[in-house]
C-alpha cells in the first residue's frame, strides 16, 4: 500500500487523445520525494534539451506535493513544471488553493500532458472517469469566467479548475494558469498550456488518502497548530507573526503602504519615489481598499488568510494575490483604484503580475525616448491609465506592437533593437524580476538572485533575517529559541552581524557564511516544493512551524518512508541538482548567473566572483556551475554525469565545456 501519495499518474497524450493511469515506482518517491522532485526526474528522462517549449514533445506536468491532501496544515501546493518559452530553461511554478488535494482525492499524484490537441479542449477528471472534452465554446473566455462556466456545465460546484485566459491561448510568454484563489504564473507555463490547446483541467475527487502512522501524524499536525497559536500569543519583537500572511495579500489587512511605495521602483523599475506617501494618499487608499475588499480567504487546510476577494464597482469579483496589489499601480504611476481595476482584467486574461506591468512600462519608456513611435501605437489613448489598458489588450491578443511585447522585455528588446536592450534592465535569465533596486550590494541576495532557478526571489529567501538587529541583546534574545536552524553555527553568524563596522555588509557575513545561509534557505524552499507545503508556513518566514527537524517525522509518519534529517537533506540536494542539470543541459552557464547590472548602485566585482566560486564549490559544481562527476556520484546521479560526458559538457577530467556562443540557445 502507498501512503500519502496515490501511486498513480494520469498520462494524457493530447495528439492521440489517449488517456492512461500509470503506476509509479515507490523508489522514485524515496529518492526524489514528489512534487518538484519527481517532476524533475520525469523531465530529465523524457524531455531532451533539443525540445523547444512549444514542441509536442515538451511535457506539462501538474503535480500534487507528497503531503498534499493529508491533514498537514497548509500543505496544498500544485507544482507545475515544463520548459519555459521565455527562459528556455525548466520552469516550475506553484499555486495554492484546493486543486492539488482534489487531484489526490481523485486518485492521482500528477497529470502529465504531452503532444498537442488539434482543437481547444478541457480535461475532466472525476475519480476513475477521465475525459477530454471540447472547449471551443470557451475560446477567448477569461480564466475565472471559464472556471465558473465549466462548473455550471458539469453541475459540479465543488470541482477545482485550473484554467488559462486569452494570454495563454495566444502563447504570451508570461501567461499564467489561474486557479480560483491562486495561480501559477512564472516562466510562461500558461503559454505552454495554451500551445497544447488545453483551456482547463477540472478535478473532482471523493477518495481517501492513506497515512502510514495516523496517530503520530495527527500528533505532529497538532504540534504545528499549537506552535502557530503560541507565536500569535507571544509575538517576537520585530518579526512578522506567522498568520500575518505574506506578499501583498497581507497588506489587505494593513493600509499603510509607505514602505512598499517608497522603497520599490515605479515605472519600468527606474524610479524610487521617496516622500510619496502622505496623509491624503493614505486616506484615499484606505477608502479604496475598504470598499473593494469583500473578505479574506485561505487555501485548503490553512489558518493563514493570505488572500482577499476584491469587488470593484462594475467589475466581477476576483482574488487578489501576491504583490499584484501594487505592481500595476506602480508600473503606471497611478493609484490603488486603478491597480485593483486593471488587476481584475489581467487575472481574467491570465498573465503574470510581476512581468506584465513591467513590460507595459518598458514599452512606454521606449515610446518616450523615441525608440518606438506613434506608428507603433496606432489609436493608443493619451491618458496614462488608458495606455496601460490599451497595451494589456494588445499584448494578450498579440496585435501590433503587442505581438513583440508578448515575449517579455528581453526578447522584445532584441526584436526592436535601436538601443532597446538598455531598457530591458530588470531581468535575470531573461525573466522580469521584482521591481526593487538597492544601494549597496547584499551578498546573500546576490547569490540568491544569481543562482536561483525558480526565477522568483520571494520563493528563495526566508529562514535567516534579512538584516541584522540593531543591538546585540536583541540578537541574543532572538537566537534563544531559534530551534529551526540546521546547525548551531547559524546562531553565531547572526549574533556577530552588525549594522555598521567590520561585521557589516558587504564583507560580513563572510563568503563561507553567505554560502551556508543561501544553501539553507534554498534547501527549505526545495523541500516545500516537493512536499507541496506553502512557503508561508515553512521556508519564507522567520521561525516557522515547519523546519528541517520535524519535516523528516512528517514524511516518515505520513508517507511511510524511513527519513531523518540527513536523508532528507540528501534527497533535497539530489533533485535540486537534477533541476540544475536540466538547465545546464539546455545551455545555462556561469555567464547567466547575474542580477541586473543596476540592481545595486555600489557593486563589488571581486567579491561577487568569489561568492559564485565558493557557492559552486559548496554545491559540488565546477567553475562554470556544472555539477561535477564526484558530486553527481555522491547523490546517486551517475546517469547525469554519463549524459554530460556524452554531450561534451563534462570530460572525465571534470572540465567544463563552455558554449562558444552564449546566444546559441536563443
Amino acid at each position: 500500500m502507498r501512503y500519502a501519495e496515490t501511486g498513480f499518474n494520469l498520462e494524457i497524450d493530447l495528439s492521440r487523445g489517449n488517456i492512461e493511469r500509470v503506476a509509479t515506482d515507490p523508489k522514485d518517491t524515496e529518492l526524489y520525494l514528489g512534487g518538484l522532485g519527481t517532476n524533475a526526474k520525469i523531465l530529465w528522462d523524457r524531455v531532451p534539451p533539443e525540445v523547444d517549449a512549444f514542441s509536442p514533445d515538451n511535457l506539462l506536468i501538474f503535480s500534487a506535493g507528497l503531503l498534499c491532501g493529508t491533514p498537514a496544515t497548509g500543505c496544498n501546493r500544485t507544482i507545475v513544471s515544463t520548459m519555459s518559452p521565455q527562459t528556455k530553461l525548466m520552469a516550475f511554478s506553484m499555486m495554492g488553493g484546493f486543486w492539488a488535494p482534489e487531484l489526490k482525492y481523485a486518485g492521482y499524484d500528477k497529470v502529465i500532458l504531452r503532444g498537442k490537441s488539434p482543437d481547444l479542449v478541457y480535461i475532466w477528471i472525476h475519480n476513475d472517469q477521465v475525459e477530454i472534452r471540447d472547449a471551443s465554446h470557451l475560446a477567448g473566455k477569461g480564466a475565472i469566467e471559464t472556471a465558473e462556466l465549466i462548473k455550471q456545465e458539469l453541475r459540479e460546484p465543488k470541482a477545482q479548475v485550473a484554467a488559462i485566459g486569452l494570454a495563454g491561448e495566444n502563447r504570451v510568454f508570461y501567461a499564467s494558469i489561474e486557479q480560483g484563489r491562486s495561480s501559477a504564473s512564472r516562466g510562461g507555463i500558461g503559454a505552454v498550456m495554451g500551445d497544447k490547446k488545453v483551456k482547463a483541467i477540472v478535478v473532482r475527487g471523493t477518495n481517501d488518502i492513506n497515512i502510514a502512522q495516523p496517530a503520530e501524524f495527527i500528533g505532529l499536525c497538532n504540534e504545528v497548530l499549537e506552535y502557530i497559536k503560541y507565536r500569535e500569543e507571544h509575538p517576537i519583537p520585530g518579526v512578522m507573526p506567522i498568520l500575518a500572511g505574506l506578499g501583498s495579500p497581507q497588506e489587505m489587512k494593513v493600509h499603510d503602504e509607505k514602505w512598499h511605495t517608497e522603497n520599490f521602483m515605479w515605472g519600468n523599475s527606474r524610479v524610487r519615489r521617496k516622500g510619496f506617501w502622505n496623509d491624503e494618499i493614505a486616506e484615499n487608499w484606505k477608502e479604496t481598499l475598504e470598499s473593494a475588499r469583500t473578505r479574506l480567504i485561505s487555501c485548503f487546510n490553512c489558518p493563514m488568510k493570505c488572500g482577499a476577494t476584491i469587488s470593484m464597482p462594475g467589475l466581477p469579483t476576483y482574488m487578489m494575490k501576491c504583490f499584484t496589489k501594487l505592481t500595476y499601480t506602480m508600473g503606471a504611476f497611478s493609484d490603488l483604484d486603478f491597480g485593483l481595476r486593471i488587476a481584475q482584467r489581467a487575472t481574467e486574461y491570465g498573465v503574470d503580475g510581476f512581468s506584465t506591468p513591467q513590460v507595459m512600462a518598458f514599452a512606454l519608456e521606449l515610446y518616450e525616448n523615441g525608440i518606438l513611435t506613434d506608428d507603433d501605437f496606432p489609436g493608443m489613448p493619451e491618458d496614462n491609465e488608458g495606455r496601460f489598458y490599451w497595451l494589456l489588450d494588445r499584448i494578450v491578443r498579440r496585435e501590433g506592437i503587442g505581438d513583440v511585447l508578448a515575449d517579455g522585455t528581453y526578447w522584445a528588446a532584441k526584436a526592436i533593437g535601436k538601443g532597446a536592450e538598455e531598457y530591458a534592465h530588470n531581468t535575470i535569465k531573461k525573466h522580469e524580476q521584482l521591481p526593487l533596486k538597492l544601494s549597496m550590494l547584499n551578498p546573500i541576495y546576490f547569490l540568491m538572485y544569481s543562482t536561483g532557478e525558480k526565477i522568483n526571489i520571494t520563493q528563495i529567501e526566508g529562514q535567516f533575517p534579512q538584516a541584522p538587529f540593531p543591538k546585540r541583546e536583541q540578537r541574543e534574545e532572538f537566537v534563544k529559541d531559534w530551534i529551526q536552524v540546521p546547525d548551531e553555527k547559524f546562531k553565531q553568524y547572526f549574533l556577530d552581524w552588525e549594522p555598521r563596522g567590520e561585521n557589516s555588509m558587504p564583507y560580513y557575513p563572510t563568503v563561507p557564511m553567505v554560502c551556508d545561509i543561501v544553501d539553507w534557505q534554498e534547501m527549505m524552499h526545495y523541500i516545500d516544493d516537493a512536499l507541496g507545503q506553502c512557503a508561508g508556513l515553512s521556508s519564507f518566514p522567520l521561525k516557522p512551524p515547519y523546519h528541517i527537524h520535524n519535516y523528516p517525522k512528517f514524511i516518515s509518519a505520513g508517507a511511510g518512508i524511513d527519513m531523518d534529517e540527513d536523508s532528507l537533506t540528501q534527497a533535497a540536494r539530489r533533485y535540486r541538482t537534477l533541476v540544475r542539470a536540466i538547465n545546464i543541459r539546455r545551455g545555462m552557464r556561469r555567464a547567466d548567473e547575474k542580477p541586473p547590472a543596476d540592481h545595486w548602485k555600489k557593486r563589488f566585482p571581486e567579491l561577487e566572483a568569489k561568492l559564485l566560486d565558493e557557492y559552486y564549490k559548496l554545491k559540488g559544481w565546477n567553475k562554470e556551475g556544472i555539477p561535477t562527476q564526484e558530486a553527481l556520484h555522491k547523490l546517486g546521479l551517475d546517469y547525469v554525469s554519463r549524459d554530460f560526458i556524452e554531450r561534451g559538457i563534462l570530460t572525465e577530467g571534470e572540465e567544463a565545456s563552455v558554449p562558444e556562443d552564449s546566444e546559441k540557445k536563443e
Side-chain angles (χ1 to χ4, degrees):
M1 180 181 290
R2 301 286 278 274
Y3 299 107
E5 61 180 349
T6 69
F8 293 95
N9 291 340
L10 186 61
E11 296 253 7
I12 301 177
D13 187 326
L14 295 159
S15 298
R16 298 167 52 202
N18 188 55
I19 300 170
E20 297 177 86
R21 182 173 181 260
V22 179
T24 59
D25 187 346
K27 186 66 176 177
D28 283 342
T29 307
E30 293 180 25
L31 292 173
Y32 306 97
L33 298 184
L36 172 63
T38 42
N39 281 8
K41 182 61 165 64
I42 291 168
L43 289 173
W44 172 272
D45 288 342
R46 296 170 55 180
V47 184
E50 299 79 16
V51 171
D52 181 75
F54 294 146
S55 165
D57 295 326
N58 188 19
L59 301 180
L60 181 61
I61 307 174
F62 290 72
S63 180
L66 177 60
L67 297 182
C68 281
T70 72
T73 302
C75 208
N76 50 48
R77 258 41 188 178
T78 305
I79 301 92
V80 189
S81 305
T82 190
M83 297 304 163
S84 167
Q86 189 165 13
T87 67
K88 311 300 180 184
L89 305 173
M90 177 180 168
F92 53 105
S93 188
M94 317 303 133
M95 60 184 181
F98 290 73
W99 198 92
E102 199 75 21
L103 183 67
K104 284 279 193 77
Y105 299 148
Y108 310 99
D109 299 312
K110 301 182 191 294
V111 176
I112 303 174
L113 304 180
R114 63 182 185 270
K116 293 187 184 186
S117 172
D119 303 299
L120 192 66
V121 297
Y122 73 87
I123 296 165
W124 168 224
I125 304 166
H126 187 190
N127 298 330
D128 293 336
Q129 174 192 352
V130 183
E131 302 175 46
I132 301 174
R133 291 188 161 214
D134 173 61
S136 59
H137 58 300
L138 301 171
K141 300 291 186 184
I144 308 305
E145 179 187 10
T146 292
E148 293 305 312
L149 290 172
I150 288 176
K151 286 191 284 187
Q152 292 173 18
E153 182 177 309
L154 296 173
R155 298 181 181 177
E156 286 284 355
K158 293 184 179 180
Q160 300 301 317
V161 184
I164 58 172
L166 189 57
E169 290 183 49
N170 288 331
R171 306 196 307 181
V172 173
F173 278 15
Y174 38 94
S176 60
I177 299 171
E178 301 290 329
Q179 191 264 307
R181 61 195 64 191
S182 187
S183 71
S185 300
R186 303 296 277 170
I189 54 177
V192 176
M193 189 164 166
D195 180 66
K196 293 187 177 301
K197 290 192 177 297
V198 176
K199 183 67 175 178
I201 304 179
V202 190
V203 184
R204 180 76 177 105
T206 57
N207 299 314
D208 293 326
I209 293 177
N210 297 306
I211 302 296
Q213 300 169 42
E216 183 177 345
F217 194 82
I218 293 298
L220 291 166
C221 295
N222 287 336
E223 288 177 11
V224 164
L225 292 171
E226 288 166 6
Y227 178 84
I228 293 173
K229 182 179 179 182
Y230 176 83
R231 279 282 304 275
E232 288 299 300
E233 295 173 350
H234 303 84
I236 301 169
V239 175
M240 183 179 71
I242 293 171
L243 295 186
L246 67 159
S248 176
Q250 79 183 22
E251 303 300 328
M252 307 312 283
K253 308 175 189 176
V254 180
H255 302 96
D256 186 358
E257 285 289 4
K258 177 180 175 64
W259 190 88
H260 281 131
T261 57
E262 294 194 356
N263 289 282
F264 280 52
M265 309 298 282
W266 294 61
N268 183 27
S269 304
R270 296 275 192 186
V271 180
R272 179 176 289 182
R273 302 179 74 180
K274 288 292 185 183
F276 166 79
W277 194 258
N278 57 41
D279 291 343
E280 182 181 356
I281 290 172
E283 184 60 33
N284 288 339
W285 286 35
K286 177 181 179 180
E287 184 178 334
T288 298
L289 190 57
E290 285 296 311
S291 61
R293 187 188 67 208
T294 53
R295 65 189 180 106
L296 298 170
I297 57 177
S298 303
C299 295
F300 172 87
N301 192 24
C302 185
M304 183 164 60
K305 296 181 178 180
C306 65
T309 51
I310 302 294
S311 295
M312 299 299 290
L315 296 176
T317 297
Y318 73 103
M319 211 293 279
M320 172 59 69
K321 45 195 181 303
C322 203
F323 192 58
T324 318
K325 172 186 172 187
L326 297 179
T327 53
Y328 292 95
T329 291
M330 295 173 70
F333 290 94
S334 189
D335 59 21
L336 185 59
D337 182 81
F338 164 77
L340 296 182
R341 285 181 176 277
I342 196 171
Q344 186 277 331
R345 184 179 298 189
T347 300
E348 286 286 15
Y349 278 149
V351 286
D352 177 20
F354 283 7
S355 292
T356 310
Q358 286 190 60
V359 172
M360 294 189 288
F362 158 79
L364 292 176
E365 195 173 28
L366 294 182
Y367 179 57
E368 291 165 0
N369 286 274
I371 294 174
L372 294 176
T373 69
D374 289 335
D375 291 339
D376 298 301
F377 300 97
M380 183 173 69
E382 294 185 2
D383 67 291
N384 191 49
E385 294 180 0
R387 288 177 171 183
F388 268 74
Y389 278 112
W390 187 89
L391 281 168
L392 178 60
D393 291 347
R394 297 304 177 284
I395 287 169
V396 299
R397 290 180 168 82
R398 280 191 174 271
E399 295 176 354
I401 191 63
D403 189 33
V404 177
L405 298 173
D407 291 348
T409 57
Y410 175 87
W411 297 107
K414 291 179 75 68
I416 293 167
K418 298 182 290 186
E421 290 92 340
E422 179 186 342
Y423 297 83
H425 61 97
N426 196 42
T427 64
I428 298 174
K429 297 182 176 79
K430 306 177 179 64
H431 208 304
E432 295 78 19
Q433 298 299 307
L434 196 68
L436 182 63
K437 303 297 174 69
L438 303 166
S439 53
M440 187 176 68
L441 174 81
N442 181 319
I444 296 173
Y445 276 76
F446 168 81
L447 269 187
M448 289 192 294
Y449 271 116
S450 298
T451 63
E453 293 173 61
K454 201 169 184 176
I455 321 294
N456 189 352
I457 192 62
T458 57
Q459 291 293 303
I460 303 169
E461 63 180 336
Q463 299 278 317
F464 198 85
Q466 294 183 2
F469 291 178
K471 298 179 180 179
R472 187 173 180 89
E473 51 263 37
Q474 293 173 314
R475 302 195 291 273
E476 289 174 346
E477 185 65 27
F478 180 81
V479 303
K480 282 181 181 177
D481 64 346
W482 200 6
I483 62 170
Q484 291 83 356
V485 294
D487 191 287
E488 290 296 302
K489 65 185 178 183
F490 290 97
K491 295 182 180 180
Q492 198 63 47
Y493 294 171
F494 185 61
L495 281 171
D496 295 339
W497 194 12
E498 301 279 356
R500 289 169 295 279
E502 291 184 0
N503 277 12
S504 64
M505 292 284 188
Y507 295 109
Y508 190 94
T510 65
V511 169
M513 294 176 186
V514 169
C515 293
D516 285 341
I517 292 166
V518 173
D519 184 58
W520 171 31
Q521 292 185 121
E522 181 185 71
M523 178 179 69
M524 294 312 301
H525 279 286
Y526 271 74
I527 292 172
D528 286 349
D529 295 345
L531 303 184
Q533 179 57 254
C534 169
L537 293 175
S538 175
S539 49
F540 186 78
L542 296 177
K543 297 186 177 181
Y546 291 100
H547 45 80
I548 192 62
H549 306 302
N550 65 2
Y551 259 154
K553 299 175 184 178
F554 273 94
I555 297 169
S556 298
I561 300 171
D562 187 16
M563 186 72 64
D564 57 22
E565 292 176 28
D566 289 340
S567 56
L568 176 56
T569 299
Q570 184 78 343
R573 294 193 189 286
R574 180 178 296 114
Y575 59 80
R576 191 277 172 265
T577 302
L578 191 55
V579 171
R580 181 80 179 184
I582 291 170
N583 289 336
I584 289 293
R585 197 164 67 163
R586 295 185 71 84
M588 190 184 76
R589 294 295 185 271
R590 183 186 181 114
D592 300 301
E593 307 234 83
K594 56 188 177 183
D598 61 348
H599 192 87
W600 291 282
K601 290 181 180 178
K602 192 171 183 181
R603 299 287 291 270
F604 299 81
E606 291 184 8
L607 175 60
E608 293 172 19
K610 189 174 182 181
L611 284 164
L612 280 178
D613 285 343
E614 291 300 312
Y615 192 64
Y616 285 0
K617 185 177 179 181
L618 175 68
K619 290 287 198 180
W621 306 340
N622 64 23
K623 291 281 188 178
E624 272 298 308
I626 301 170
T628 66
Q629 283 182 271
E630 180 183 5
L632 291 167
H633 177 71
K634 288 179 179 178
L635 293 171
L637 297 175
D638 290 307
Y639 61 87
V640 172
S641 60
R642 287 194 297 269
D643 182 272
F644 279 2
I645 290 169
E646 289 175 5
R647 294 178 181 276
I649 294 171
L650 285 177
T651 67
E652 292 291 350
E654 298 293 321
E655 294 298 324
S657 173
V658 184
E660 294 180 5
D661 181 2
S662 62
E663 301 289 314
K664 72 177 186 177
K665 291 291 181 182
E666 298 171 6

